[in-house]
Amino acid sequence: MIKVRKSIHPCATDTWESIAARELAATPLDEGVASLQSWNLHVFSRAPAAADSPRAGNPILPSDLVFLEPPLSAQ
Amino acid sequence: MDIVIRNGNIVDGSGRPAYIGDIGISAGRINQVGHVSGHGATEIDATGKTVSPGFIDPHTHFDAQLLWDGAAKPAIEHGVTTIVPGNCSLSLAPLKAADRMKLVGMFNQIEEMPLVAFEQGVTWNWETFDEFVGRIQQDLTINVAPLVGHSVLRLWVMGQAATERTATATETAEMQSLLRQCLDAGAIGLSTSFVDMDEKLQPVPSRYADHAELDALCAVLAEYNRILQVVHEFYDIDLTIGRIDQLAELSLKHKITTTLSPLFINRGDFEGVDRVIARIVEQNAAGARVWPQVQTRPIDISFSFAVPSLLFIRLRGWYRVMRFGTPATIMAAFQDETQRQQLVQEATSMMPLWSALILRQVETEANQQYVGKTLAEIAELRGTDALNAMIDLSLEESLDAHFISADMGHNDDDKVGSMLRHPHVMIGASDGGAHILSFSTYGDTGYLLGHFVRDKQLLSMEEAIKKITSDTADIWAIPDRGLLKSGYIADITIFDANTIDRGPEYYVQDVPGDGHRYVRDAIGVETVIIGGAVAYDHLQGYSDEHRGQVIGAPQR
Ligand SMILES: [Zn+2]
């Protein structure tokens, strides 16, 4: 089997913080959030939802794939 | 017999070796293959020519064009007899009157279909999928197997909330029943997108759906044994593999076929592509059906500053000027010292790209001398750099200077050929009818048969034809098409295997509202039969026969 990078589908209300708290529970929150952001530039580099949106400030979309580990080449 | 094709080299779509024979056609179907003794009302001498099933193009965006052109020109001239529109989460139905302009905006942004074409080429007389099918069935020459777009289902059920949040349980159930109505009316499956942006550069509605919503819609596809098409994050290998796993899960759970496109094969990333294919093979071994689509043509992008171009999508300053500006404001931005400097600064790091651009077309006599030269060469002649030469030429031509960025990738013959041949790869992703201002999406099959089969000999003719006929029909559950076999519908392409190809790309004004697009003529395709009647002949052009069907739609 080829090695596949671990990822999740976010929940509807997920933020960087909620994913870090749930999936990287053993890591301090700040560190977990920073790691998630650096592993998910496809989400992090996106403009967050506009201020008048119910998702204001959150760039994570419900259809995203969010990686829980760095690229395999970096491991 | 209505038509008899005599003495052709029959490549029947099964992949088995070609042979010399006749084909008899009556009442729209093939009724004899081999020796035909009876006489045909029309006799076609195919001596020295290849006779194959009509080609099926599984990834197109001909949705809008079908409203003013039931032949989806020039698809048929290239031998294509069936197209799948409605890909990438976008279809023109079901669509409430109030949402029309929103969808037009998305088509304009994502597929580069001009707004004025919708204004002048479209009479909006449908809302439901069934009404849309009825609308395009009038004067239909090509066969259409339409997908219904996930973004459109969301828009119908959720209105503005479609681009804000996940669906409630009630809304999901409503989308399920709406999808059932579409499938009953003839939709071949559902399309969704994980990457596209709307006219405000915000994610399209389907991207606000969570996995549970997609799962619920796939449960409906399962009731009908229909396919799910996805456009995924094709620029990243790990994301592509993640999406393959997601599709495999849906495929196994619901026993449905899934396909993702496009899969590009770029130098420097062959290892990544091999991992993608290895994952596809593993998931297939586990029982899942996930088909990556690979296009035949290399990537190139043409543009002028008169319309927003894909090439600038990562340069925010440039893209905003092009996307939201008028010709006058774009010219003004180039003329304004400060703004020009900012733009130049933003794009300087990509100087190798600008230097390699070729000037392909200008209006003024004075600049004709530069046509065919790279911007690096032109810059040298003018004593400036490539970026400034591009801006200067655009100003001098009132933005009607056309540039091409050639060979941008997907152009390693051996590697692309091996992928096109791969048993787990579907040949597709032409994007026919889309991006009409960036490149020609027509002629990919001619390129396959001319370049990869005849010139490079990386596939046999039988293999290549099977890939774009019976394989595609099987994967998409299109019945009675894709083989030259008694009882099958007579969709047939007759071509010269020694000459078949795609012609050079050119810019033509044939879109409603005086719009332009890039097209390619076919070379070597002689006769195209659809539904048992000659639809196109290279000497006589298009006939008056309109035998195209919306596949899967109830007979009207
Ligand atoms: Zn598409």
Side-chain angles (χ1 to χ4, degrees), chain B residues 57 59-62 297 429-434 441-442:
Chain B
D57 190 340
H59 187 134
T60 83
H61 297 278
F62 281 112
R297 66 168 188 270
S430 82
D431 251 346
T441 53
Y442 323 101

Side-chain angles (χ1 to χ4, degrees), chain B residues 153-225:
Chain B
L153 293 182
R154 288 195 120 234
L155 210 51
W156 180 286
V157 169
M158 300 174 67
Q160 200 192 322
T163 49
E164 291 175 344
R165 58 169 173 82
T166 49
T168 63
T170 315
E171 287 164 341
T172 302
E174 274 181 59
M175 271 187 259
Q176 286 183 304
S177 73
L178 184 60
L179 176 56
R180 278 188 200 97
Q181 287 170 31
C182 299
L183 295 168
D184 282 332
I188 194 89
L190 175 75
S191 69
T192 196
S193 168
F194 296 126
V195 293
D196 289 303
M197 308 277 249
D198 71 8
E199 75 288 1
K200 294 182 198 140
L201 303 185
Q202 295 302 310
V204 292
S206 67
R207 297 177 66 190
Y208 292 85
D210 57 11
H211 184 66
E213 179 180 321
L214 189 56
D215 182 72
L217 294 173
C218 287
V220 174
L221 292 178
E223 295 167 15
Y224 291 74
N225 264 315

Side-chain angles (χ1 to χ4, degrees), chain B residues 294-306:
Chain B
V294 175
Q295 72 179 43
T296 67
R297 66 168 188 270
I299 300 171
D300 56 47
I301 295 183
S302 292
F303 69 96
S304 74
F305 284 99

Side-chain angles (χ1 to χ4, degrees), chain A residues 1-5 7 9-12 40 42 45-50 52-55 61-67 70-72, chain B residues 163-166 193-194 202-203 206-211 233 235-236 238-243 245-246 249 275-276 278-279 282 316:
Chain A
M1 295 286 278
I2 72 154
K3 198 160 171 351
V4 174
R5 205 171 154 199
S7 66
H9 302 295
C11 312
N40 291 282
H42 62 292
S45 64
R46 183 188 292 156
D52 58 347
S53 153
R55 317 179 50 77
L61 293 171
S63 66
D64 278 335
L65 273 182
V66 176
F67 291 116
L72 299 177
Chain B
T163 49
E164 291 175 344
R165 58 169 173 82
T166 49
S193 168
F194 296 126
Q202 295 302 310
S206 67
R207 297 177 66 190
Y208 292 85
D210 57 11
H211 184 66
E233 297 90 335
Y235 51 82
D236 184 278
D238 283 342
L239 283 165
T240 300
I241 290 174
R243 294 305 184 187
D245 286 2
Q246 182 180 7
E249 183 193 323
R275 282 181 61 222
V276 166
R279 192 60 177 171
E282 283 175 4
R316 282 175 195 234

